[in-house]
Amino acid sequence: MRIVIQRVSHASVTINGNVKSSIGKGFLILLGIAENDTKEDADWLVKKVLGLRVFDDENGVMNRDIMETDGELLVISQFTLLASYKKGNRPSYIRAARHDISIPLYEYFCARLGQESGKNIGTGEFGADMKVELLNDGPVTICMDTKNKE
């Protein structure tokens, strides 16, 4: 699993002209799922996301996590995070999981994130043409990959 976390002042996802989800201060998470990803990968990412200390404390130092700042969470599926670009100029998405693997893992990740945080998790719609808007705060953008846990 591969994620891109963006600390945002606000973010939203719109599908067919209708806002599906929106958040204020918090994390916009783009989630890519590979064929060999597992629930254990999702669990590891949930713990990393919730413990990530990138929010300012009273001294202006990035020392607080999303729970300490009462931040919100929006998770968008993003198979293009698994793009292979080594050969030629047209990306290949062969490493991205098929729907029968990726949809259940996406739903599992969102559910676990909600359970562990006690928060409602904003989502997009798997496979839809989504318009994502955000105001990156900082900017702070962190990439994580379960293949690079160490």
mmCIF file with all atom_site columns, all heavy atoms in Angstrom, residues 17-39:
data_model
loop_
_atom_site.group_PDB
_atom_site.id
_atom_site.type_symbol
_atom_site.label_atom_id
_atom_site.label_alt_id
_atom_site.label_comp_id
_atom_site.label_asym_id
_atom_site.label_entity_id
_atom_site.label_seq_id
_atom_site.pdbx_PDB_ins_code
_atom_site.Cartn_x
_atom_site.Cartn_y
_atom_site.Cartn_z
_atom_site.occupancy
_atom_site.B_iso_or_equiv
_atom_site.pdbx_formal_charge
_atom_site.auth_seq_id
_atom_site.auth_comp_id
_atom_site.auth_asym_id
_atom_site.auth_atom_id
_atom_site.pdbx_PDB_model_num
ATOM 1   N N   . GLY A 1 17 ? -20.507 16.805 -9.942 1.00 0.00 ? 17 GLY A N   1
ATOM 2   C CA  . GLY A 1 17 ? -20.966 18.115 -9.505 1.00 0.00 ? 17 GLY A CA  1
ATOM 3   C C   . GLY A 1 17 ? -21.478 18.189 -8.083 1.00 0.00 ? 17 GLY A C   1
ATOM 4   O O   . GLY A 1 17 ? -21.865 19.260 -7.617 1.00 0.00 ? 17 GLY A O   1
ATOM 5   N N   . ASN A 1 18 ? -21.490 17.064 -7.368 1.00 0.00 ? 18 ASN A N   1
ATOM 6   C CA  . ASN A 1 18 ? -21.977 17.031 -5.987 1.00 0.00 ? 18 ASN A CA  1
ATOM 7   C C   . ASN A 1 18 ? -20.829 16.734 -5.026 1.00 0.00 ? 18 ASN A C   1
ATOM 8   O O   . ASN A 1 18 ? -20.069 15.783 -5.241 1.00 0.00 ? 18 ASN A O   1
ATOM 9   C CB  . ASN A 1 18 ? -23.050 15.951 -5.808 1.00 0.00 ? 18 ASN A CB  1
ATOM 10  C CG  . ASN A 1 18 ? -24.254 16.207 -6.684 1.00 0.00 ? 18 ASN A CG  1
ATOM 11  O OD1 . ASN A 1 18 ? -24.791 17.313 -6.708 1.00 0.00 ? 18 ASN A OD1 1
ATOM 12  N ND2 . ASN A 1 18 ? -24.672 15.196 -7.417 1.00 0.00 ? 18 ASN A ND2 1
ATOM 13  N N   . VAL A 1 19 ? -20.722 17.525 -3.972 1.00 0.00 ? 19 VAL A N   1
ATOM 14  C CA  . VAL A 1 19 ? -19.694 17.287 -2.961 1.00 0.00 ? 19 VAL A CA  1
ATOM 15  C C   . VAL A 1 19 ? -20.049 16.020 -2.195 1.00 0.00 ? 19 VAL A C   1
ATOM 16  O O   . VAL A 1 19 ? -21.107 15.938 -1.574 1.00 0.00 ? 19 VAL A O   1
ATOM 17  C CB  . VAL A 1 19 ? -19.548 18.487 -2.001 1.00 0.00 ? 19 VAL A CB  1
ATOM 18  C CG1 . VAL A 1 19 ? -18.558 18.167 -0.895 1.00 0.00 ? 19 VAL A CG1 1
ATOM 19  C CG2 . VAL A 1 19 ? -19.121 19.732 -2.762 1.00 0.00 ? 19 VAL A CG2 1
ATOM 20  N N   . LYS A 1 20 ? -19.181 15.023 -2.286 1.00 0.00 ? 20 LYS A N   1
ATOM 21  C CA  . LYS A 1 20 ? -19.404 13.750 -1.580 1.00 0.00 ? 20 LYS A CA  1
ATOM 22  C C   . LYS A 1 20 ? -18.926 13.845 -0.140 1.00 0.00 ? 20 LYS A C   1
ATOM 23  O O   . LYS A 1 20 ? -19.589 13.379 0.774  1.00 0.00 ? 20 LYS A O   1
ATOM 24  C CB  . LYS A 1 20 ? -18.665 12.615 -2.304 1.00 0.00 ? 20 LYS A CB  1
ATOM 25  C CG  . LYS A 1 20 ? -18.555 11.316 -1.509 1.00 0.00 ? 20 LYS A CG  1
ATOM 26  C CD  . LYS A 1 20 ? -19.383 10.232 -2.063 1.00 0.00 ? 20 LYS A CD  1
ATOM 27  C CE  . LYS A 1 20 ? -19.246 8.867  -1.462 1.00 0.00 ? 20 LYS A CE  1
ATOM 28  N NZ  . LYS A 1 20 ? -19.036 8.670  -0.090 1.00 0.00 ? 20 LYS A NZ  1
ATOM 29  N N   . SER A 1 21 ? -17.737 14.440 0.062  1.00 0.00 ? 21 SER A N   1
ATOM 30  C CA  . SER A 1 21 ? -17.167 14.588 1.398  1.00 0.00 ? 21 SER A CA  1
ATOM 31  C C   . SER A 1 21 ? -16.341 15.860 1.454  1.00 0.00 ? 21 SER A C   1
ATOM 32  O O   . SER A 1 21 ? -15.747 16.257 0.449  1.00 0.00 ? 21 SER A O   1
ATOM 33  C CB  . SER A 1 21 ? -16.248 13.407 1.742  1.00 0.00 ? 21 SER A CB  1
ATOM 34  O OG  . SER A 1 21 ? -16.941 12.191 1.782  1.00 0.00 ? 21 SER A OG  1
ATOM 35  N N   . SER A 1 22 ? -16.305 16.452 2.636  1.00 0.00 ? 22 SER A N   1
ATOM 36  C CA  . SER A 1 22 ? -15.425 17.599 2.836  1.00 0.00 ? 22 SER A CA  1
ATOM 37  C C   . SER A 1 22 ? -14.954 17.607 4.281  1.00 0.00 ? 22 SER A C   1
ATOM 38  O O   . SER A 1 22 ? -15.645 17.110 5.174  1.00 0.00 ? 22 SER A O   1
ATOM 39  C CB  . SER A 1 22 ? -16.140 18.906 2.493  1.00 0.00 ? 22 SER A CB  1
ATOM 40  O OG  . SER A 1 22 ? -17.216 19.131 3.365  1.00 0.00 ? 22 SER A OG  1
ATOM 41  N N   . ILE A 1 23 ? -13.759 18.141 4.483  1.00 0.00 ? 23 ILE A N   1
ATOM 42  C CA  . ILE A 1 23 ? -13.193 18.241 5.822  1.00 0.00 ? 23 ILE A CA  1
ATOM 43  C C   . ILE A 1 23 ? -12.600 19.625 6.020  1.00 0.00 ? 23 ILE A C   1
ATOM 44  O O   . ILE A 1 23 ? -12.291 20.328 5.053  1.00 0.00 ? 23 ILE A O   1
ATOM 45  C CB  . ILE A 1 23 ? -12.101 17.168 6.082  1.00 0.00 ? 23 ILE A CB  1
ATOM 46  C CG1 . ILE A 1 23 ? -10.903 17.340 5.132  1.00 0.00 ? 23 ILE A CG1 1
ATOM 47  C CG2 . ILE A 1 23 ? -12.681 15.770 6.002  1.00 0.00 ? 23 ILE A CG2 1
ATOM 48  C CD1 . ILE A 1 23 ? -9.684  16.509 5.501  1.00 0.00 ? 23 ILE A CD1 1
ATOM 49  N N   . GLY A 1 24 ? -12.415 19.973 7.276  1.00 0.00 ? 24 GLY A N   1
ATOM 50  C CA  . GLY A 1 24 ? -11.658 21.161 7.643  1.00 0.00 ? 24 GLY A CA  1
ATOM 51  C C   . GLY A 1 24 ? -10.215 20.746 7.863  1.00 0.00 ? 24 GLY A C   1
ATOM 52  O O   . GLY A 1 24 ? -9.679  19.893 7.149  1.00 0.00 ? 24 GLY A O   1
ATOM 53  N N   . LYS A 1 25 ? -9.585  21.290 8.892  1.00 0.00 ? 25 LYS A N   1
ATOM 54  C CA  . LYS A 1 25 ? -8.188  20.988 9.190  1.00 0.00 ? 25 LYS A CA  1
ATOM 55  C C   . LYS A 1 25 ? -8.000  19.495 9.434  1.00 0.00 ? 25 LYS A C   1
ATOM 56  O O   . LYS A 1 25 ? -8.778  18.877 10.166 1.00 0.00 ? 25 LYS A O   1
ATOM 57  C CB  . LYS A 1 25 ? -7.765  21.767 10.433 1.00 0.00 ? 25 LYS A CB  1
ATOM 58  C CG  . LYS A 1 25 ? -6.325  21.530 10.843 1.00 0.00 ? 25 LYS A CG  1
ATOM 59  C CD  . LYS A 1 25 ? -5.954  22.347 12.047 1.00 0.00 ? 25 LYS A CD  1
ATOM 60  C CE  . LYS A 1 25 ? -6.507  21.682 13.288 1.00 0.00 ? 25 LYS A CE  1
ATOM 61  N NZ  . LYS A 1 25 ? -6.026  22.293 14.525 1.00 0.00 ? 25 LYS A NZ  1
ATOM 62  N N   . GLY A 1 26 ? -6.984  18.918 8.789  1.00 0.00 ? 26 GLY A N   1
ATOM 63  C CA  . GLY A 1 26 ? -6.715  17.508 8.988  1.00 0.00 ? 26 GLY A CA  1
ATOM 64  C C   . GLY A 1 26 ? -5.838  16.940 7.897  1.00 0.00 ? 26 GLY A C   1
ATOM 65  O O   . GLY A 1 26 ? -4.943  17.619 7.390  1.00 0.00 ? 26 GLY A O   1
ATOM 66  N N   . PHE A 1 27 ? -6.116  15.682 7.529  1.00 0.00 ? 27 PHE A N   1
ATOM 67  C CA  . PHE A 1 27 ? -5.347  14.969 6.510  1.00 0.00 ? 27 PHE A CA  1
ATOM 68  C C   . PHE A 1 27 ? -6.223  14.593 5.323  1.00 0.00 ? 27 PHE A C   1
ATOM 69  O O   . PHE A 1 27 ? -7.296  14.004 5.490  1.00 0.00 ? 27 PHE A O   1
ATOM 70  C CB  . PHE A 1 27 ? -4.778  13.650 7.050  1.00 0.00 ? 27 PHE A CB  1
ATOM 71  C CG  . PHE A 1 27 ? -3.612  13.774 7.982  1.00 0.00 ? 27 PHE A CG  1
ATOM 72  C CD1 . PHE A 1 27 ? -3.412  12.815 8.959  1.00 0.00 ? 27 PHE A CD1 1
ATOM 73  C CD2 . PHE A 1 27 ? -2.691  14.811 7.885  1.00 0.00 ? 27 PHE A CD2 1
ATOM 74  C CE1 . PHE A 1 27 ? -2.333  12.877 9.830  1.00 0.00 ? 27 PHE A CE1 1
ATOM 75  C CE2 . PHE A 1 27 ? -1.606  14.890 8.745  1.00 0.00 ? 27 PHE A CE2 1
ATOM 76  C CZ  . PHE A 1 27 ? -1.435  13.923 9.722  1.00 0.00 ? 27 PHE A CZ  1
ATOM 77  N N   . LEU A 1 28 ? -5.727  14.897 4.134  1.00 0.00 ? 28 LEU A N   1
ATOM 78  C CA  . LEU A 1 28 ? -6.234  14.293 2.906  1.00 0.00 ? 28 LEU A CA  1
ATOM 79  C C   . LEU A 1 28 ? -5.271  13.162 2.606  1.00 0.00 ? 28 LEU A C   1
ATOM 80  O O   . LEU A 1 28 ? -4.050  13.379 2.513  1.00 0.00 ? 28 LEU A O   1
ATOM 81  C CB  . LEU A 1 28 ? -6.238  15.294 1.752  1.00 0.00 ? 28 LEU A CB  1
ATOM 82  C CG  . LEU A 1 28 ? -6.472  14.684 0.372  1.00 0.00 ? 28 LEU A CG  1
ATOM 83  C CD1 . LEU A 1 28 ? -7.860  14.068 0.265  1.00 0.00 ? 28 LEU A CD1 1
ATOM 84  C CD2 . LEU A 1 28 ? -6.257  15.712 -0.712 1.00 0.00 ? 28 LEU A CD2 1
ATOM 85  N N   . ILE A 1 29 ? -5.794  11.946 2.496  1.00 0.00 ? 29 ILE A N   1
ATOM 86  C CA  . ILE A 1 29 ? -4.968  10.766 2.257  1.00 0.00 ? 29 ILE A CA  1
ATOM 87  C C   . ILE A 1 29 ? -5.337  10.165 0.914  1.00 0.00 ? 29 ILE A C   1
ATOM 88  O O   . ILE A 1 29 ? -6.489  9.795  0.687  1.00 0.00 ? 29 ILE A O   1
ATOM 89  C CB  . ILE A 1 29 ? -5.166  9.712  3.368  1.00 0.00 ? 29 ILE A CB  1
ATOM 90  C CG1 . ILE A 1 29 ? -4.803  10.309 4.735  1.00 0.00 ? 29 ILE A CG1 1
ATOM 91  C CG2 . ILE A 1 29 ? -4.362  8.455  3.067  1.00 0.00 ? 29 ILE A CG2 1
ATOM 92  C CD1 . ILE A 1 29 ? -5.187  9.432  5.903  1.00 0.00 ? 29 ILE A CD1 1
ATOM 93  N N   . LEU A 1 30 ? -4.352  10.080 0.019  1.00 0.00 ? 30 LEU A N   1
ATOM 94  C CA  . LEU A 1 30 ? -4.510  9.383  -1.250 1.00 0.00 ? 30 LEU A CA  1
ATOM 95  C C   . LEU A 1 30 ? -3.956  7.981  -1.044 1.00 0.00 ? 30 LEU A C   1
ATOM 96  O O   . LEU A 1 30 ? -2.827  7.825  -0.562 1.00 0.00 ? 30 LEU A O   1
ATOM 97  C CB  . LEU A 1 30 ? -3.749  10.106 -2.360 1.00 0.00 ? 30 LEU A CB  1
ATOM 98  C CG  . LEU A 1 30 ? -4.110  11.582 -2.544 1.00 0.00 ? 30 LEU A CG  1
ATOM 99  C CD1 . LEU A 1 30 ? -3.196  12.227 -3.580 1.00 0.00 ? 30 LEU A CD1 1
ATOM 100 C CD2 . LEU A 1 30 ? -5.563  11.745 -2.929 1.00 0.00 ? 30 LEU A CD2 1
ATOM 101 N N   . LEU A 1 31 ? -4.740  6.957  -1.380 1.00 0.00 ? 31 LEU A N   1
ATOM 102 C CA  . LEU A 1 31 ? -4.389  5.571  -1.074 1.00 0.00 ? 31 LEU A CA  1
ATOM 103 C C   . LEU A 1 31 ? -4.319  4.739  -2.345 1.00 0.00 ? 31 LEU A C   1
ATOM 104 O O   . LEU A 1 31 ? -5.297  4.646  -3.088 1.00 0.00 ? 31 LEU A O   1
ATOM 105 C CB  . LEU A 1 31 ? -5.444  4.976  -0.126 1.00 0.00 ? 31 LEU A CB  1
ATOM 106 C CG  . LEU A 1 31 ? -5.377  3.496  0.178  1.00 0.00 ? 31 LEU A CG  1
ATOM 107 C CD1 . LEU A 1 31 ? -4.102  3.149  0.939  1.00 0.00 ? 31 LEU A CD1 1
ATOM 108 C CD2 . LEU A 1 31 ? -6.599  3.069  0.982  1.00 0.00 ? 31 LEU A CD2 1
ATOM 109 N N   . GLY A 1 32 ? -3.149  4.142  -2.578 1.00 0.00 ? 32 GLY A N   1
ATOM 110 C CA  . GLY A 1 32 ? -2.959  3.219  -3.697 1.00 0.00 ? 32 GLY A CA  1
ATOM 111 C C   . GLY A 1 32 ? -2.743  1.815  -3.162 1.00 0.00 ? 32 GLY A C   1
ATOM 112 O O   . GLY A 1 32 ? -1.988  1.617  -2.200 1.00 0.00 ? 32 GLY A O   1
ATOM 113 N N   . ILE A 1 33 ? -3.382  0.833  -3.780 1.00 0.00 ? 33 ILE A N   1
ATOM 114 C CA  . ILE A 1 33 ? -3.327  -0.547 -3.304 1.00 0.00 ? 33 ILE A CA  1
ATOM 115 C C   . ILE A 1 33 ? -2.750  -1.440 -4.396 1.00 0.00 ? 33 ILE A C   1
ATOM 116 O O   . ILE A 1 33 ? -3.226  -1.426 -5.528 1.00 0.00 ? 33 ILE A O   1
ATOM 117 C CB  . ILE A 1 33 ? -4.726  -1.027 -2.883 1.00 0.00 ? 33 ILE A CB  1
ATOM 118 C CG1 . ILE A 1 33 ? -5.254  -0.118 -1.755 1.00 0.00 ? 33 ILE A CG1 1
ATOM 119 C CG2 . ILE A 1 33 ? -4.703  -2.498 -2.463 1.00 0.00 ? 33 ILE A CG2 1
ATOM 120 C CD1 . ILE A 1 33 ? -6.703  -0.329 -1.412 1.00 0.00 ? 33 ILE A CD1 1
ATOM 121 N N   . ALA A 1 34 ? -1.735  -2.233 -4.009 1.00 0.00 ? 34 ALA A N   1
ATOM 122 C CA  . ALA A 1 34 ? -1.080  -3.163 -4.933 1.00 0.00 ? 34 ALA A CA  1
ATOM 123 C C   . ALA A 1 34 ? -1.683  -4.557 -4.775 1.00 0.00 ? 34 ALA A C   1
ATOM 124 O O   . ALA A 1 34 ? -2.346  -4.864 -3.770 1.00 0.00 ? 34 ALA A O   1
ATOM 125 C CB  . ALA A 1 34 ? 0.423   -3.208 -4.668 1.00 0.00 ? 34 ALA A CB  1
ATOM 126 N N   . GLU A 1 35 ? -1.437  -5.401 -5.759 1.00 0.00 ? 35 GLU A N   1
ATOM 127 C CA  . GLU A 1 35 ? -1.987  -6.771 -5.777 1.00 0.00 ? 35 GLU A CA  1
ATOM 128 C C   . GLU A 1 35 ? -1.650  -7.571 -4.528 1.00 0.00 ? 35 GLU A C   1
ATOM 129 O O   . GLU A 1 35 ? -2.452  -8.358 -4.070 1.00 0.00 ? 35 GLU A O   1
ATOM 130 C CB  . GLU A 1 35 ? -1.451  -7.531 -7.003 1.00 0.00 ? 35 GLU A CB  1
ATOM 131 C CG  . GLU A 1 35 ? -2.139  -7.194 -8.293 1.00 0.00 ? 35 GLU A CG  1
ATOM 132 C CD  . GLU A 1 35 ? -3.546  -7.762 -8.398 1.00 0.00 ? 35 GLU A CD  1
ATOM 133 O OE1 . GLU A 1 35 ? -3.799  -8.897 -7.966 1.00 0.00 ? 35 GLU A OE1 1
ATOM 134 O OE2 . GLU A 1 35 ? -4.409  -7.040 -8.915 1.00 0.00 ? 35 GLU A OE2 1
ATOM 135 N N   . ASN A 1 36 ? -0.449  -7.390 -3.977 1.00 0.00 ? 36 ASN A N   1
ATOM 136 C CA  . ASN A 1 36 ? -0.018  -8.221 -2.853 1.00 0.00 ? 36 ASN A CA  1
ATOM 137 C C   . ASN A 1 36 ? -0.210  -7.547 -1.491 1.00 0.00 ? 36 ASN A C   1
ATOM 138 O O   . ASN A 1 36 ? 0.305   -8.016 -0.492 1.00 0.00 ? 36 ASN A O   1
ATOM 139 C CB  . ASN A 1 36 ? 1.440   -8.648 -3.031 1.00 0.00 ? 36 ASN A CB  1
ATOM 140 C CG  . ASN A 1 36 ? 2.382   -7.466 -3.154 1.00 0.00 ? 36 ASN A CG  1
ATOM 141 O OD1 . ASN A 1 36 ? 1.945   -6.323 -3.270 1.00 0.00 ? 36 ASN A OD1 1
ATOM 142 N ND2 . ASN A 1 36 ? 3.673   -7.745 -3.141 1.00 0.00 ? 36 ASN A ND2 1
ATOM 143 N N   . ASP A 1 37 ? -0.974  -6.465 -1.434 1.00 0.00 ? 37 ASP A N   1
ATOM 144 C CA  . ASP A 1 37 ? -1.226  -5.789 -0.166 1.00 0.00 ? 37 ASP A CA  1
ATOM 145 C C   . ASP A 1 37 ? -2.232  -6.575 0.676  1.00 0.00 ? 37 ASP A C   1
ATOM 146 O O   . ASP A 1 37 ? -3.062  -7.318 0.155  1.00 0.00 ? 37 ASP A O   1
ATOM 147 C CB  . ASP A 1 37 ? -1.737  -4.364 -0.404 1.00 0.00 ? 37 ASP A CB  1
ATOM 148 C CG  . ASP A 1 37 ? -0.635  -3.426 -0.873 1.00 0.00 ? 37 ASP A CG  1
ATOM 149 O OD1 . ASP A 1 37 ? 0.545   -3.686 -0.546 1.00 0.00 ? 37 ASP A OD1 1
ATOM 150 O OD2 . ASP A 1 37 ? -0.950  -2.450 -1.563 1.00 0.00 ? 37 ASP A OD2 1
ATOM 151 N N   . THR A 1 38 ? -2.124  -6.379 2.003  1.00 0.00 ? 38 THR A N   1
ATOM 152 C CA  . THR A 1 38 ? -2.932  -7.154 2.943  1.00 0.00 ? 38 THR A CA  1
ATOM 153 C C   . THR A 1 38 ? -3.556  -6.242 4.003  1.00 0.00 ? 38 THR A C   1
ATOM 154 O O   . THR A 1 38 ? -3.215  -5.064 4.109  1.00 0.00 ? 38 THR A O   1
ATOM 155 C CB  . THR A 1 38 ? -2.051  -8.194 3.678  1.00 0.00 ? 38 THR A CB  1
ATOM 156 O OG1 . THR A 1 38 ? -1.088  -7.475 4.479  1.00 0.00 ? 38 THR A OG1 1
ATOM 157 C CG2 . THR A 1 38 ? -1.346  -9.115 2.694  1.00 0.00 ? 38 THR A CG2 1
ATOM 158 N N   . LYS A 1 39 ? -4.419  -6.830 4.828  1.00 0.00 ? 39 LYS A N   1
ATOM 159 C CA  . LYS A 1 39 ? -4.998  -6.102 5.953  1.00 0.00 ? 39 LYS A CA  1
ATOM 160 C C   . LYS A 1 39 ? -3.908  -5.671 6.933  1.00 0.00 ? 39 LYS A C   1
ATOM 161 O O   . LYS A 1 39 ? -4.021  -4.627 7.570  1.00 0.00 ? 39 LYS A O   1
ATOM 162 C CB  . LYS A 1 39 ? -6.045  -6.954 6.660  1.00 0.00 ? 39 LYS A CB  1
ATOM 163 C CG  . LYS A 1 39 ? -7.324  -7.123 5.866  1.00 0.00 ? 39 LYS A CG  1
ATOM 164 C CD  . LYS A 1 39 ? -8.339  -7.940 6.643  1.00 0.00 ? 39 LYS A CD  1
ATOM 165 C CE  . LYS A 1 39 ? -9.652  -8.017 5.864  1.00 0.00 ? 39 LYS A CE  1
ATOM 166 N NZ  . LYS A 1 39 ? -10.657 -8.803 6.594  1.00 0.00 ? 39 LYS A NZ  1
#
